[in-house]
Amino acid sequence: MDNLNDEEIYNDRNRIEPFVKAITRNKHLFKDKIVLDLNSGMGLLSILASQSGAKQVIAMKANNYASEIIKQNNIQNITLYKEKIREVELNCKIDIIIADWMGNMLIYGGCIQDVIYARDKYLNKDGFIMPDKGQLYIQSIEDSQYKKMKINFWDSVYGVNMKWMKQWIAKEPLLESIKEEQLNSDEQLIYEINLQNCQLEDLSFSNQYQIKIKRQDYATGIIVWMKYSFTYTHLPIHVIMGPTKSPFWKPVILYFREEIPVNKGDKLQGSLAVKFESEELLQIKLSVHMQQYNYVSYFKLN
Amino acid sequence: MDNLNDEEIYNDRNRIEPFVKAITRNKHLFKDKIVLDLNSGMGLLSILASQSGAKQVIAMKANNYASEIIKQNNIQNITLYKEKIREVELNCKIDIIIADWMGNMLIYGGCIQDVIYARDKYLNKDGFIMPDKGQLYIQSIEDSQYKKMKINFWDSVYGVNMKWMKQWIAKEPLLESIKEEQLNSDEQLIYEINLQNCQLEDLSFSNQYQIKIKRQDYATGIIVWMKYSFTYTHLPIHVIMGPTKSPFWKPVILYFREEIPVNKGDKLQGSLAVKFESEELLQIKLSVHMQQYNYVSYFKLN
C-alpha cells in the first residue's frame, strides 16, 4: 500500500489551500472542460475539479486509494492513471493543467519539465495551467552569527579536525528561513517564469540585481525566496513562500565570500545566474560588487 | 559532491555521542585491532578508532570528503571504500565492527542484515560488534484525543469525503513520541536481540506480554520503544530511545481496535509479532486480551 503521508500534505495548508481555492471558487473556468491533474495522489484536486463542473478529469500519479475515494464520492468522470504523464499516451486535448510543479527556488526538485511536456503535447490553444506564474525575489541579509556557528562547527567535530570541510560548507546553499530583523535591504524581483509559454532553456538564467540597503549593517549574503500565482482565476491568487516564515519550500541562503559593511542607501549590485542542468543538479553563480568588494561565488544545490 | 547533512548527524548528540564514548573511552579494546566501520561517511568514527590505537581501520560507505579529512588528521591506517560491505571482498579478518545498524523499532530501515553478513564473513571468533545488543519495550497508552483527530480528519478533506481512508489509517503504525502522562502501564521487555549471534530469522518474532495498568484510564493502544547497548566497553553504554522524548528513532504507536477501559492493577495481556520480510516491509501483528476484549490487529510499516 502507499504511504499515507498525503494527510501531511493536505494538512500543509500553505501549500494545498491555494489549489483548493483556485478550483472551488472558479467553477466558471471548469464548466465542461477537460482537466489534467499531473500529481493526483488520493485524488483530492481531481474530485474538486469534477465537482466544479469539469467534463472529464485525467488524473496522473494516482495512488492505491484514489479509485475507492472517487467511487465513494459518486464521481464517474475521472480517469485514473498510476503512471506519470510521460509514461502514457492520452487521446484528447486538455483545457486546464493542474500541477504542483514548484520546488525549492521554484524549479529545483519540482516537476516543471513535466508541465512543459504536457503543455506542448496536450494543452489546447486557449488552455491554461494552474498555477501559471512563478517569481524569485532576492534580499540581502545579516547572518554572521549563524554562518560562523555553521562554519566553525567543523574546527573540531568530537575532537577530530574537519576544518577542510569549511570551504565546502560555504559553497553549500542553505535551505532555511531567517528572522525578519536579519533582512537589511529591499526585495527585488530577479526571475520570473510564465508556465504558459516558457521553454526548458528558460529554467537557466543570468540576471542583474541592484538592491538598496535599509540600514547600517553587514551584508553576509542574500536570500532567494519565491512567489507563484494563479492568474487565470477570477481573482488572482498569489502564494508567497517568503524569507521569514518556514513554509513548505524554504528560501535559499547564499553567502558572500566576506561580510560587506553597508550603510543605509547603499546599492549592492551583482548578478544571480542559475544553470538548471538536470532534475538532479542546479548550479548557482552569485556575483556581488560594491565599492572595493567584488566577488563571484559558485554554489551547488545537491 | 555529497550532501553535507553529516553535520546534522554529528549534531544529533543522542545518536553519535554513545559511539564516540564507546571508542574514545575504551582505547584498551582498540589497541592493535582491525576495525571495520560499516558506514563511515566523512570518517569520524574511523578516525577516532585509529586515534584510539587500532592497527587498521576499514571504512565502508565513505563519502567524497573522507579521504582529505583523514589526510589532514595525519592518519595513515584507514582504508576507504565508497562501496557497501557486500560490494567488496576484504582479505583480512576483523576484530571490531562499528555499525549504526539501528532503525525504527530497532530493525526497520536499519542495516542489521549487513552487520550479520559482515560478522559471519569477517569477524574473528573473539571479535565483537558496537553496539551489540538491542531491546524493544512496550507500554500501554491513552491517546484517544489524538487518535480521533487523526482518524476524523478524513471525514471531510477540503469538503471531499475520504472516510474510506479511516480503516487504513487505523492500521498504519504511527512513528511518534507521546507525553509522559499518556503512559498508563509499566514497561515490559518484549524483544531482545544479540548481534553477536543472531540470525536473519531472529528478526521476526512473536512474543507474549503482560503489562500492569497504573491507573483508572482507557488503553487506546501500545507504544513500542527501543534501547541498544554497547556491552563490550569497560562500562556498558545503554542508549534509550524512549517513548516520550523525540529522539532520532521515534517510538511506534499501534492502536487497539477499540479503547479498553482499564483500572489500576489490571493486567493487559497479548502478543506482539513482527514479521521482517525484506528491507522494505515489516508486518506487525498485535493481539490484546483482557476480560471481554479480545482483538487481533495487523499493521504494516511502509
Side-chain angles (χ1 to χ4, degrees):
Chain A
M1 276 294 183
D2 298 298
N3 199 306
L4 292 176
N5 62 13
D6 273 39
E7 185 199 352
E8 283 163 36
I9 294 170
Y10 293 156
N11 269 330
D12 189 343
R13 297 186 172 270
N14 283 322
R15 196 180 170 198
I16 194 74
E17 275 189 1
F19 280 94
V20 171
K21 213 162 139 189
I23 299 170
T24 59
R25 301 194 65 185
N26 290 281
K27 297 199 166 76
H28 62 289
L29 295 176
F30 285 86
K31 190 162 166 32
D32 298 329
K33 295 292 166 59
I34 299 181
V35 177
L36 174 63
D37 180 356
L38 277 189
N39 190 2
S40 61
M42 289 192 184
L44 176 68
L45 299 182
S46 291
I47 291 170
L48 294 176
S50 170
Q51 289 174 342
S52 296
K55 184 166 72 183
Q56 199 199 338
V57 182
I58 297 162
M60 310 308 302
K61 292 175 77 178
N63 69 24
N64 288 325
Y65 305 105
S67 154
E68 189 63 33
I69 288 172
I70 286 166
K71 199 170 132 194
Q72 299 229 338
N73 283 277
N74 298 315
I75 289 173
Q76 325 286 339
N77 62 347
I78 298 179
T79 310
L80 288 178
Y81 291 92
K82 298 208 168 179
E83 292 88 352
K84 297 175 189 170
I85 186 67
R86 287 170 200 267
E87 296 163 357
V88 301
E89 197 61 42
L90 303 180
N91 56 8
C92 62
K93 287 282 176 181
I94 302 294
D95 299 305
I96 303 174
I97 297 174
I98 299 172
D100 189 11
W101 51 262
M102 298 72 68
N104 289 311
M105 272 186 78
L106 269 183
I107 50 181
Y108 179 70
C111 67
I112 204 166
Q113 306 100 309
D114 292 338
V115 179
I116 292 174
Y117 170 89
R119 179 199 70 194
D120 290 349
K121 191 159 177 185
Y122 299 116
L123 195 65
N124 276 324
K125 277 241 164 93
D126 55 352
F128 59 89
I129 296 159
M130 294 183 135
D132 58 299
K133 282 206 175 70
Q135 289 99 24
L136 291 178
Y137 289 82
I138 73 165
Q139 285 183 269
S140 68
I141 59 167
E142 194 288 310
D143 196 25
S144 53
Q145 206 180 344
Y146 185 72
K147 184 186 174 191
K148 271 192 200 113
M149 192 196 77
K150 195 111 186 140
I151 305 273
N152 293 344
F153 170 83
W154 299 94
D155 280 337
S156 171
V157 179
Y158 295 99
V160 171
N161 163 15
M162 292 202 176
K163 287 188 209 296
W164 188 74
M165 291 306 300
K166 290 181 167 190
Q167 61 186 309
W168 304 112
I169 300 307
K171 287 181 185 169
E172 182 92 346
L174 295 180
L175 288 173
E176 264 165 68
S177 294
I178 57 160
K179 295 191 189 112
E180 178 74 33
E181 62 265 29
Q182 293 182 270
L183 296 166
N184 57 20
S185 81
D186 61 352
E187 63 190 54
Q188 192 175 60
L189 179 67
I190 186 87
Y191 175 68
E192 192 159 19
I193 191 157
N194 181 347
L195 274 276
Q196 294 293 122
N197 55 32
C198 69
Q199 301 302 319
L200 274 180
E201 51 268 31
D202 298 328
L203 304 183
S204 298
F205 64 90
S206 176
N207 293 340
Q208 304 291 314
Y209 65 84
Q210 178 179 294
I211 48 185
K212 201 170 158 192
I213 299 297
K214 287 194 299 191
R215 62 166 183 256
Q216 188 172 14
D217 202 352
Y218 290 91
T220 327
I222 61 158
I223 189 160
V224 187
W225 49 273
M226 65 195 248
K227 286 188 192 174
Y228 53 90
S229 308
F230 302 74
T231 72
Y232 285 82
T233 47
H234 179 60
L235 297 176
I237 298 167
H238 302 289
V239 183
I240 302 173
M241 296 278 167
T244 59
K245 283 181 290 176
S246 262
F248 192 83
W249 290 287
K250 298 241 185 300
V252 172
I253 296 172
L254 307 169
Y255 289 130
F256 299 141
R257 278 194 2 229
E258 274 183 60
E259 291 183 345
I260 301 176
V262 290
N263 288 298
K264 189 172 174 175
D266 279 353
K267 287 187 175 112
L268 207 60
Q269 301 183 314
S271 65
L272 179 71
V274 169
K275 195 167 171 204
F276 188 76
E277 294 200 323
S278 75
E279 292 176 42
E280 298 302 317
L281 190 67
L282 199 72
Q283 278 196 321
I284 303 172
K285 178 180 169 185
L286 173 69
S287 87
V288 58
H289 50 96
M290 200 204 114
Q291 295 147 17
Q292 76 273 42
Y293 296 93
N294 207 334
Y295 306 136
V296 181
S297 312
Y298 294 88
F299 303 87
K300 256 188 196 178
L301 253 183
N302 281 298
Chain B
M1 276 294 185
D2 298 298
N3 198 306
L4 293 177
N5 63 12
D6 273 40
E7 185 200 354
E8 282 164 35
I9 294 170
Y10 294 156
N11 268 330
D12 189 342
R13 298 186 170 270
N14 284 321
R15 195 179 170 199
I16 195 73
E17 275 190 0
F19 280 94
V20 172
K21 212 163 140 190
I23 298 170
T24 59
R25 300 193 65 185
N26 290 279
K27 297 199 166 77
H28 61 289
L29 295 176
F30 284 85
K31 191 165 164 29
D32 298 329
K33 294 292 167 58
I34 298 181
V35 176
L36 174 64
D37 180 355
L38 277 188
N39 190 2
S40 61
M42 290 192 185
L44 176 68
L45 300 183
S46 291
I47 291 171
L48 294 176
S50 170
Q51 290 174 340
S52 296
K55 184 166 73 186
Q56 198 199 338
V57 181
I58 297 160
M60 310 307 303
K61 293 175 76 177
N63 69 25
N64 287 327
Y65 305 106
S67 154
E68 190 63 32
I69 288 172
I70 287 166
K71 199 170 131 194
Q72 300 230 335
N73 283 275
N74 299 314
I75 289 174
Q76 327 286 340
N77 62 347
I78 298 179
T79 311
L80 288 178
Y81 290 92
K82 297 209 169 178
E83 292 88 353
K84 297 176 190 171
I85 186 68
R86 288 170 199 268
E87 296 163 358
V88 301
E89 197 62 40
L90 304 180
N91 56 8
C92 63
K93 287 282 175 180
I94 301 294
D95 299 305
I96 303 175
I97 297 173
I98 299 172
D100 189 11
W101 51 261
M102 299 72 68
N104 289 312
M105 272 187 78
L106 271 182
I107 51 181
Y108 178 70
C111 67
I112 204 166
Q113 306 99 309
D114 292 338
V115 178
I116 293 174
Y117 171 89
R119 178 199 70 193
D120 290 349
K121 192 158 177 188
Y122 299 116
L123 195 65
N124 275 322
K125 275 243 162 92
D126 53 354
F128 60 88
I129 295 160
M130 293 182 136
D132 57 298
K133 283 206 174 70
Q135 289 101 23
L136 291 177
Y137 288 81
I138 73 166
Q139 285 182 268
S140 69
I141 60 166
E142 194 287 310
D143 196 25
S144 52
Q145 208 180 341
Y146 185 71
K147 184 186 173 189
K148 269 190 203 113
M149 192 197 76
K150 194 113 184 136
I151 304 274
N152 293 346
F153 169 84
W154 299 94
D155 280 337
S156 171
V157 180
Y158 295 98
V160 170
N161 163 15
M162 293 203 175
K163 287 189 209 297
W164 188 75
M165 292 306 301
K166 290 181 166 189
Q167 60 185 310
W168 304 112
I169 300 306
K171 287 180 186 172
E172 183 92 344
L174 295 180
L175 288 174
E176 264 166 65
S177 295
I178 57 161
K179 295 191 189 113
E180 179 74 34
E181 62 264 30
Q182 293 181 270
L183 296 166
N184 58 20
S185 81
D186 61 352
E187 63 189 54
Q188 194 175 57
L189 179 67
I190 187 87
Y191 175 68
E192 192 160 18
I193 192 157
N194 182 346
L195 274 277
Q196 295 292 122
N197 53 34
C198 69
Q199 302 301 321
L200 274 179
E201 51 267 32
D202 298 329
L203 303 184
S204 297
F205 64 88
S206 177
N207 293 340
Q208 304 291 315
Y209 66 83
Q210 180 180 293
I211 47 183
K212 201 170 157 189
I213 299 297
K214 288 194 299 191
R215 62 166 183 257
Q216 189 170 13
D217 203 350
Y218 290 91
T220 326
I222 60 158
I223 188 160
V224 186
W225 48 274
M226 67 193 248
K227 286 188 193 174
Y228 53 89
S229 309
F230 301 75
T231 72
Y232 284 82
T233 46
H234 178 60
L235 297 176
I237 297 167
H238 302 290
V239 184
I240 301 173
M241 295 278 168
T244 58
K245 283 179 290 177
S246 262
F248 193 83
W249 289 287
K250 298 242 187 298
V252 172
I253 295 172
L254 306 168
Y255 288 130
F256 299 140
R257 279 198 356 231
E258 273 184 60
E259 291 183 345
I260 302 176
V262 290
N263 288 300
K264 188 175 173 173
D266 279 353
K267 287 187 175 109
L268 208 60
Q269 301 183 315
S271 66
L272 179 70
V274 169
K275 196 167 170 205
F276 188 75
E277 293 200 322
S278 75
E279 294 176 41
E280 298 304 316
L281 190 66
L282 198 73
Q283 278 197 320
I284 303 173
K285 179 180 170 186
L286 173 69
S287 88
V288 57
H289 49 96
M290 199 204 114
Q291 296 149 16
Q292 76 274 37
Y293 297 93
N294 206 335
Y295 305 136
V296 180
S297 312
Y298 294 89
F299 303 87
K300 257 189 196 179
L301 254 183
N302 281 299

